[in-house]
Amino acid sequence: MAACYTSGDFKKYFKENMNALGAPVPTGLFDTYQKAIGTAATIVGTLHLLGKGATVGELIAATVGLEKLAVATAFGATCYVGVIIGSIAVASGRVLSCGSQMSDMFVFTYQNKLQFRGWHSFYLQNPQVLDKSHPFRKSVSLRATSAPHSFEYT
């Protein structure tokens, strides 16, 4: 790994990005890159089954092992999975190369098979998920809880 990595940085950067977006971080599900990818893959697979308009509460009810996501039940599932995957990409980008770009996000999503319905539009229309300097980062959580349908892209 590059010189910018020290043990535990992935968890730190993941949590930092989630917090900056106003998204709650459940304990234990995203502590390492491998756990985060596995959890995200489970969520994406379940979201495919549940379809458009699903809530985080419905994700929890449809799976085993995601009970810790209860901290995010106010979020729509599409927004929350988008924020999670974006935060994994940001954290892994910072750990591996001291930063990440939008193009890295698309490669990352394909390599890890984390595509969800409307994911291209989600990241293009919500650059604050990946951009640490974006002035409206907290707006994601406000929109996610007050108008979760606004994150449903086709």
Side-chain angles (χ1 to χ4, degrees), residues 37-101:
I37 292 294
T39 300
T42 299
I43 294 170
V44 167
T46 306
L47 184 58
H48 280 298
L49 294 173
L50 294 175
K52 190 175 180 177
T55 66
V56 172
E58 291 170 326
L59 282 174
I60 295 166
T63 59
V64 174
L66 295 181
E67 296 82 10
K68 291 180 180 181
L69 291 179
V71 297
T73 55
F75 279 67
T78 299
C79 175
Y80 197 65
V81 77
V83 169
I84 286 170
I85 293 168
S87 295
I88 295 169
V90 167
S92 61
R94 286 181 71 188
V95 164
L96 297 174
S97 64
C98 302
S100 185
Q101 299 177 342

Side-chain angles (χ1 to χ4, degrees), residues 2-150:
C4 55
Y5 176 78
T6 58
S7 183
D9 281 353
F10 177 84
K11 178 181 177 179
K12 175 181 132 186
Y13 294 145
F14 178 83
K15 187 174 182 176
E16 183 180 283
N17 201 68
M18 293 286 284
N19 289 338
L21 296 166
V25 183
T27 57
L29 295 177
F30 304 99
D31 289 351
T32 66
Y33 177 80
Q34 292 79 9
K35 278 186 180 180
I37 292 294
T39 300
T42 299
I43 294 170
V44 167
T46 306
L47 184 58
H48 280 298
L49 294 173
L50 294 175
K52 190 175 180 177
T55 66
V56 172
E58 291 170 326
L59 282 174
I60 295 166
T63 59
V64 174
L66 295 181
E67 296 82 10
K68 291 180 180 181
L69 291 179
V71 297
T73 55
F75 279 67
T78 299
C79 175
Y80 197 65
V81 77
V83 169
I84 286 170
I85 293 168
S87 295
I88 295 169
V90 167
S92 61
R94 286 181 71 188
V95 164
L96 297 174
S97 64
C98 302
S100 185
Q101 299 177 342
M102 182 67 81
S103 58
D104 298 330
M105 176 63 203
F106 291 109
V107 170
F108 167 83
T109 304
Y110 275 110
Q111 284 178 337
N112 292 286
K113 298 179 177 115
L114 296 174
Q115 305 95 327
F116 56 93
R117 187 178 318 201
W119 72 276
H120 288 100
S121 297
F122 177 87
Y123 294 109
L124 291 173
Q125 293 183 28
N126 299 286
Q128 66 272 37
V129 171
L130 302 171
D131 183 359
K132 188 176 180 179
S133 64
H134 197 283
F136 301 109
R137 294 198 86 199
K138 288 278 187 189
S139 69
V140 172
S141 66
L142 296 173
R143 256 182 55 220
T145 55
S146 63
H149 62 280
S150 69

